[in-house]
């Protein structure tokens, strides 16, 4: 399996990461990284034809947004996570506003999961269908995601299947689905509008209640979300064998169920609050 595995220790927490592209030879459009104060995972999303609107591409957008968020996290805990995400979206949009059609509906976008450890508290933010899982010392894991895109998209599946891909009817239905993105009553992603950050799911938890926290792209989370491995088992495998083993099992399950692979990325944070 082609990918990266990084293990290290930093003030504040221990972090292990694994990220693998959907297929060999394909660009990985996920990004993840960590600083002593926290961690970020960005899952880039593209629509066919997006290259005509943005010369940089989805992977550039995801990595630029992720790197900007890490820099903002490192600057200190004085601002809320939604505020940091809004600023990051605005900075990245400004970085290619002069060369790309940043507001075009099919331009690059991304889901985001991030956490910050400060003052005995873990704060988190999730925008879109990435996942954050809090591994509690006592009690069931807390699983955080934003299901709005999945819920809305699933309601269009019967009509899309009936129309048939490549038909005019299919394209009309698809355009209607896309009209719900970053719109009231719809679903929200990081793209060109910093107001999307205000729709993110946020929360916090005392660090003393946690054994760890995990950020996962939806391609990695499907082991539990789609293939029904329980989250307690996923967390146990992470603790014993690390993120790369979870992604290996994802690929096995995809092959068994004839599911198209997706980029899969995991960031596992333990030792929260350690110095």
């Amino acid at each position: 399996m082609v990918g990266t595995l990084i293990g290290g220790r930093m003030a504040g927490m221990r972090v292990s990461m694994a990220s693998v592209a959907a297929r060999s030879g394909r660009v990985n459009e996920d990004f993840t990284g960590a600083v002593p104060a926290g961690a970020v995972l960005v899952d880039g999303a593209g629509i066919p034809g997006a290259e005509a609107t943005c010369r940089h591409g989805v992977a550039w957008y995801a990595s630029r947004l992720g790197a900007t968020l890490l820099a903002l996290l490192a600057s200190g805990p004085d601002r809320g996570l939604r505020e940091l995400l809004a600023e990051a979206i605005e900075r990245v949009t400004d970085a290619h506003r002069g060369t790309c059609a940043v507001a075009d509906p099919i331009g690059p976008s991304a889901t985001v999961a991030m956490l910050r450890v400060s003052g005995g508290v873990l704060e988190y933010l999730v925008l879109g269908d990435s996942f954050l899982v809090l591994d509690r010392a006592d009690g069931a894991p807390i699983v955080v995601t934003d299901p709005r895109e999945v819920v809305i998209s699933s309601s269009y599946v019967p009509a899309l299947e009936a129309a048939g891909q490549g038909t005019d009817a299919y394209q009309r239905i698809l355009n209607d689905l896309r009209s719900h993105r970053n719109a009231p009553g719809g679903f929200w992603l990081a793209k060109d509008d910093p107001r999307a950050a205000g729709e993110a799911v946020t929360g916090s938890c005392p660090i003393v209640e946690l054994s760890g926290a995990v950020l996962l792209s939806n391609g990695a989370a499907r082991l539990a979300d789609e293939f029904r491995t329980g989250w307690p088992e996923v967390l146990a495998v992470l603790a014993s064998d690390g993120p790369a083993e979870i992604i290996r099992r994802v690929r096995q399950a995809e092959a068994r169920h004839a599911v198209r692979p997706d980029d899969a990325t995991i960031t596992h944070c333990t030792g929260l609050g350690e110095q």
Side-chain angles (χ1 to χ4, degrees), residues 7-97:
R9 183 180 181 85
M10 60 179 65
M13 59 186 175
R14 297 186 298 273
V15 180
S16 295
M17 306 175 187
S19 187
V20 179
R23 296 179 301 279
S24 178
R26 182 184 183 277
V27 174
N28 188 341
E29 295 174 342
D30 289 351
F31 169 94
T32 195
V35 294
V40 170
L41 187 150
V42 178
D43 184 348
I47 295 173
E51 62 278 358
T53 70
C54 176
R55 72 181 191 183
H56 302 95
V58 174
W60 176 90
Y61 182 85
S63 61
R64 189 71 174 253
L65 183 66
T68 304
L69 284 169
L70 286 175
L72 291 170
L73 275 177
S75 67
D78 297 335
R79 303 164 65 197
L81 296 183
R82 283 177 174 154
E83 186 180 355
L84 298 187
L85 178 57
E87 180 173 341
I89 292 172
E90 188 167 21
R91 286 191 187 184
V92 176
T93 301
D94 287 345
H96 68 140
R97 192 186 300 277

Side-chain angles (χ1 to χ4, degrees), residues 28-210:
N28 188 341
E29 295 174 342
D30 289 351
F31 169 94
T32 195
V35 294
V40 170
L41 187 150
V42 178
D43 184 348
I47 295 173
E51 62 278 358
T53 70
C54 176
R55 72 181 191 183
H56 302 95
V58 174
W60 176 90
Y61 182 85
S63 61
R64 189 71 174 253
L65 183 66
T68 304
L69 284 169
L70 286 175
L72 291 170
L73 275 177
S75 67
D78 297 335
R79 303 164 65 197
L81 296 183
R82 283 177 174 154
E83 186 180 355
L84 298 187
L85 178 57
E87 180 173 341
I89 292 172
E90 188 167 21
R91 286 191 187 184
V92 176
T93 301
D94 287 345
H96 68 140
R97 192 186 300 277
T99 57
C100 306
V102 296
D104 193 293
I106 68 172
S109 60
T111 68
V112 178
M114 57 191 296
L115 63 84
R116 178 170 63 191
V117 176
S118 177
V121 174
L122 182 144
E123 304 169 81
Y124 61 80
L125 175 149
V126 176
L127 180 67
D129 62 356
S130 288
F131 282 72
L132 178 141
V133 182
L134 300 179
D135 188 3
R136 294 196 292 170
D138 296 304
I142 298 173
V143 181
V144 183
T145 189
D146 179 353
R148 285 175 288 186
E149 181 177 6
V150 174
V151 170
I152 292 172
S153 297
S154 64
S155 68
Y156 280 81
V157 169
L160 288 168
E161 290 179 344
Q165 192 167 359
T167 65
D168 290 343
Y170 185 96
Q171 191 60 48
R172 284 195 300 271
I173 297 166
L174 194 60
N175 289 340
D176 187 53
L177 167 59
R178 291 170 180 165
S179 72
H180 293 283
R181 183 173 65 178
N182 288 6
F187 57 91
W188 297 80
L189 302 171
K191 189 177 175 292
D192 62 296
D193 188 350
R195 291 175 296 180
E199 294 289 330
V201 179
T202 59
S204 63
C205 185
I207 290 172
V208 294
E209 297 180 8
L210 301 174

